[in-house]
Amino acid sequence: VVGQTGRVAAEIPPVAPSLSAAVENTLAAELSARRAELLAVDERLGVVADLLVDFIADGKRLRPEFCWWGWRAGGGRADPADCAPVVRIAAALELIQACALVHDDLIDRSETRRGRPSVHVAVAKSHADAGYAGDSDQHGLAVAVLLGDLALAWADDLFTASAHQLRALDRVQQPWRAMRTEVLAGQLLDVSMGAMATDEPGALAAAMTVNRFKTAAYTVERPLHLGAGLAGAQTEVIDRLRRYGVAIGTAFQLRDDLLGVFGDPTVTGKPAGGDLTEGKRTVLVAQARTGLAGTTALLADLDAGFGSADAGAVAAATAAIAASGAPEELEQRISALVADGLDALAGLPDDAATALHGLAVRATARRR
Amino acid sequence: VVGQTGRVAAEIPPVAPSLSAAVENTLAAELSARRAELLAVDERLGVVADLLVDFIADGKRLRPEFCWWGWRAGGGRADPADCAPVVRIAAALELIQACALVHDDLIDRSETRRGRPSVHVAVAKSHADAGYAGDSDQHGLAVAVLLGDLALAWADDLFTASAHQLRALDRVQQPWRAMRTEVLAGQLLDVSMGAMATDEPGALAAAMTVNRFKTAAYTVERPLHLGAGLAGAQTEVIDRLRRYGVAIGTAFQLRDDLLGVFGDPTVTGKPAGGDLTEGKRTVLVAQARTGLAGTTALLADLDAGFGSADAGAVAAATAAIAASGAPEELEQRISALVADGLDALAGLPDDAATALHGLAVRATARRR
């Protein structure tokens, strides 16, 4: 929720809570209508719609919030009658995110998501518990693939209808096209790099590209761009928002990299060194390898703990990263990015600038 | 290619070949532009774009052909200057189909597609051959999921831009929304029924529903509907085309069911009884079970050969289906559906009616 500081809370009306309620209502109405279409095909498909409803209920609504503040920065009014299309497009972002997460969990073989079984795991378990025919894991895979596809198709439907209704397609088609291609390209590059040797030349540059497109463009830059485009913002405003988005989105992921290795498990709710155990090809790890070049023993520790479930090996790899200079390098980069992002807010309407300032702090100074 | 009979070839200009060339050119241009977007993210992604280009090159362009004849039946002119948007939407149907097939092969664990390795298998093999890091099968899965997602997103982009350019979104949004939900719903129902016992009550009705939505709506009815909607066809014309589409699309799949069990391998290029080995829950098999109710020995033969790779067991199951009365039942149903579909063509423009008549025969009387 925006407005965690006294200043923000005092100066702007509590838009975020009403945005949040509007997004929830829109998602509920949209999914209910689409659920009815599935039921019209066959009543057995109600459970599939329910899976998506449950999954989406858990989202943090980060992209809708950026979309909203892009809209406000671009001159969109806070009057609810003016807001229905932007709220619907914000909701469409949550449907895209549902596809991305359900498919990513399949790709990464993640057992859990937000503390609950991931979709393919939950479906496989139901299948096994019921004693159904066939391979339970393959059934979980099938439903997860198709559920993600449905979410992606429905996101497009919601986006297109809303933008068309507002006669804004000419302004927002480009960022919508770009966003979906960018997040998939970033994910494909991430998958490709996962197949390369960890000391592949260019691994650090590739990790930064993944960060740029899989996180920064998808989570901050394009949601802001979409909201501003909908509002008919001037080019200069869009440019400022995008500059903020790239900087803060990139810094957000670098913070994530640091928390994924050095985060306090009692605060993050995730195991210590979790990113190492999962073998994530983060900028932090690539930077640490660069910093440790020539330091054979520490590099060996990093290699031994990378992708390992052994707590001792993970702790040694964590110590190697700490000794590499990479954490300090990332902290400096985060500071520079946040400064650049906040600088880009100059000249934007006060309430949007204040809210985006608060979001930048929340995204980059968090401890979980 | 439309116009296999002397009558058709004599009476209408060779539109289909020029449609085919236009669709190929559109797909090539679109995929080249999107490939450049991937390369702008990272040059390593060129191989991913190439995978999609190669995959799409093999398509039969059946849906574009129905889309085209919907356009012509709805009054759309054959002048190429009038045709760019319908050709682009026809091409978008091939992108949807690429997503559907790449994801279906993953879901069905199909090793081959159109005589070549399926995408996930080809990618896994490249990964293994190159000695890359990680699990090759999981890498194949990851790329196939994301490539299908890209094709689906790009299909939407192409559709929306084309329909918007023609100011036709209000007319074609509904069939486009419906088509994508219907094919995914049909596929989800197919997957759900695959988890049920083969003698599940309602299996025959469910198989018919899968046929109706996964094949008939997706392959014939909605492509016609989209083409006619683009052309601004009158409601009565759209209703006639849809009636034809449901009838011929359903009959097309019933013919597929028969060929999948009784087809001549030297003509179909597929193994004898292939659908049985794959354990496909077709209308034919469900109908055979109904026909064999009470005939314990034959039902046991069917069960033993269903999902079996043993040639003897498959042959016995094939014989059981032949003895069940189901093939005759399906032939009668195909005849009735074709008659109904052709009847629906009355009053449509001559060239479209002639072409659709020819397509109906090709789709339902084929031997492969």
Side-chain angles (χ1 to χ4, degrees):
Chain A
V1 178
V2 173
Q4 307 238 326
T5 72
R7 175 167 166 256
V8 172
E11 285 181 12
I12 61 169
V15 176
S18 72
L19 167 70
S20 174
V23 169
E24 302 315 311
N25 290 340
T26 299
L27 281 169
E30 184 70 12
L31 289 173
S32 170
R34 308 296 322 224
R35 183 177 197 277
E37 292 177 41
L38 294 185
L39 290 176
V41 169
D42 192 286
E43 63 186 13
R44 293 176 187 85
L45 299 178
V47 293
V48 174
D50 294 342
L51 276 175
L52 186 58
V53 169
D54 287 351
F55 186 84
I56 283 194
D58 286 342
K60 285 179 289 189
R61 313 295 183 241
L62 187 58
R63 289 157 194 86
E65 203 161 358
F66 282 117
C67 182
W68 172 258
W69 288 112
W71 162 262
R72 299 283 287 132
R77 278 186 291 162
D79 178 341
D82 277 355
C83 293
V86 68
V87 169
R88 294 178 76 207
I89 287 177
L93 294 173
E94 290 296 285
L95 284 167
I96 294 279
Q97 174 70 347
C99 170
L101 296 181
V102 170
H103 283 179
D104 278 11
D105 285 345
L106 201 55
I107 289 169
D108 298 339
R109 289 181 171 165
S110 303
E111 299 278 319
T112 60
R113 165 68 60 184
R114 301 163 184 155
R116 305 208 294 189
S118 47
V119 167
H120 66 283
V121 169
V123 172
K125 184 170 186 309
S126 298
H127 182 279
D129 289 349
Y132 284 143
D135 182 307
S136 296
D137 287 343
Q138 189 66 18
H139 186 75
L141 177 152
V143 173
V145 167
L146 296 169
L147 193 72
D149 290 351
L150 262 186
L152 182 54
W154 290 354
D156 268 302
D157 290 342
L158 187 54
F159 168 80
T160 303
S162 309
H164 179 54
Q165 183 192 344
L166 202 63
R167 299 175 184 276
L169 261 179
D170 290 327
R171 299 197 299 273
V172 292
Q173 245 182 329
Q174 187 271 327
W176 181 256
R177 290 169 69 105
M179 182 188 73
R180 283 142 55 258
T181 298
E182 285 162 354
V183 66
L184 287 164
Q187 174 71 340
L188 276 161
L189 182 59
D190 200 11
V191 164
S192 300
M193 295 312 295
M196 300 289 144
T198 48
D199 58 356
E200 170 84 5
L204 176 57
M208 292 206 273
T209 302
V210 170
N211 181 340
R212 167 76 179 81
F213 292 101
K214 188 175 159 183
T215 302
Y218 171 58
T219 306
V220 190
E221 178 197 1
R222 296 302 186 179
L224 283 165
H225 189 172
L226 285 165
L230 268 178
Q234 293 183 323
T235 306
E236 198 219 318
V237 170
I238 291 177
D239 289 346
R240 286 187 170 276
L241 289 168
R242 291 184 63 191
R243 188 179 131 208
Y244 165 95
V246 172
I248 301 304
T250 302
F252 169 83
Q253 182 60 50
L254 294 179
R255 175 62 60 211
D256 222 55
D257 287 5
L258 287 163
L259 290 172
V261 172
F262 299 106
D264 178 349
T266 65
V267 179
T268 63
K270 296 174 186 171
D275 277 6
L276 293 174
T277 301
E278 292 178 28
K280 282 196 190 168
R281 307 291 183 111
T282 61
V283 170
L284 175 63
V285 169
Q287 184 75 49
R289 275 184 206 289
T290 304
L292 293 173
T295 321
T296 317
L298 287 173
L299 209 48
D301 283 348
L302 177 49
D303 282 335
F306 190 74
S308 167
D310 178 76
V314 169
T318 302
I321 294 174
S324 72
E328 295 78 7
E329 167 70 28
L330 262 65
E331 290 290 358
Q332 283 175 18
R333 216 174 298 169
I334 290 170
S335 295
L337 287 164
V338 170
D340 184 54
L342 296 181
D343 187 57
L345 297 176
L348 295 185
D350 278 353
D351 64 342
T354 304
L356 290 171
H357 187 122
L359 281 165
V361 173
R362 260 175 64 201
T364 59
R366 65 205 157 91
R367 295 181 58 224
R368 64 192 177 102
Chain B
V1 177
V2 173
Q4 307 238 328
T5 73
R7 176 169 166 255
V8 171
E11 286 182 10
I12 61 168
V15 175
S18 73
L19 166 70
S20 173
V23 169
E24 301 316 311
N25 291 340
T26 299
L27 281 169
E30 184 71 12
L31 289 173
S32 171
R34 309 293 326 222
R35 184 178 197 277
E37 292 177 41
L38 294 185
L39 290 176
V41 169
D42 192 285
E43 63 186 13
R44 293 177 187 84
L45 299 179
V47 292
V48 174
D50 294 341
L51 276 175
L52 186 58
V53 169
D54 288 350
F55 186 84
I56 282 194
D58 286 342
K60 284 178 290 189
R61 314 295 184 240
L62 187 59
R63 289 158 196 84
E65 203 161 357
F66 282 117
C67 181
W68 172 257
W69 289 112
W71 161 262
R72 299 283 287 131
R77 278 187 290 162
D79 179 340
D82 276 356
C83 293
V86 68
V87 169
R88 295 179 76 207
I89 287 178
L93 294 173
E94 290 295 286
L95 284 167
I96 294 277
Q97 175 70 347
C99 170
L101 295 182
V102 170
H103 283 179
D104 278 12
D105 285 345
L106 201 56
I107 289 169
D108 297 340
R109 289 181 171 165
S110 302
E111 298 279 319
T112 60
R113 163 69 60 184
R114 302 164 182 154
R116 305 209 293 190
S118 47
V119 167
H120 66 282
V121 169
V123 172
K125 184 170 185 308
S126 299
H127 183 278
D129 289 349
Y132 284 145
D135 182 307
S136 295
D137 288 342
Q138 189 66 17
H139 186 74
L141 177 152
V143 173
V145 167
L146 296 169
L147 192 72
D149 290 352
L150 262 186
L152 181 54
W154 290 353
D156 268 302
D157 290 342
L158 187 54
F159 168 81
T160 303
S162 310
H164 179 53
Q165 183 192 343
L166 202 66
R167 299 174 185 275
L169 262 179
D170 290 328
R171 298 197 299 273
V172 292
Q173 247 183 328
Q174 186 271 329
W176 181 256
R177 291 169 68 104
M179 182 188 71
R180 285 142 55 258
T181 298
E182 285 162 353
V183 66
L184 287 164
Q187 174 71 339
L188 276 161
L189 182 59
D190 201 9
V191 164
S192 300
M193 294 313 295
M196 299 289 144
T198 48
D199 58 354
E200 170 85 4
L204 176 57
M208 293 207 271
T209 302
V210 170
N211 181 340
R212 167 76 179 80
F213 292 101
K214 188 175 159 184
T215 302
Y218 171 58
T219 306
V220 190
E221 177 196 3
R222 295 302 186 182
L224 283 166
H225 188 173
L226 285 165
L230 269 178
Q234 291 182 324
T235 306
E236 198 218 318
V237 170
I238 292 176
D239 289 346
R240 285 187 172 276
L241 289 168
R242 292 184 62 191
R243 188 179 130 208
Y244 166 94
V246 172
I248 301 304
T250 302
F252 170 83
Q253 182 60 50
L254 294 179
R255 174 60 61 209
D256 222 55
D257 287 6
L258 287 163
L259 290 171
V261 173
F262 299 105
D264 178 350
T266 65
V267 178
T268 62
K270 295 174 186 171
D275 278 7
L276 293 174
T277 301
E278 291 177 29
K280 281 197 192 167
R281 307 291 182 113
T282 61
V283 170
L284 174 63
V285 169
Q287 183 76 48
R289 274 183 207 289
T290 304
L292 294 173
T295 321
T296 317
L298 288 173
L299 208 48
D301 283 348
L302 177 50
D303 282 335
F306 191 74
S308 168
D310 179 76
V314 169
T318 302
I321 294 174
S324 71
E328 294 78 7
E329 166 70 27
L330 261 65
E331 290 290 358
Q332 283 176 18
R333 215 175 298 169
I334 289 171
S335 295
L337 287 164
V338 171
D340 183 54
L342 296 181
D343 186 58
L345 298 176
L348 295 186
D350 277 352
D351 65 342
T354 304
L356 290 172
H357 188 121
L359 281 166
V361 172
R362 262 175 63 201
T364 59
R366 64 204 158 92
R367 296 180 58 223
R368 62 194 179 101

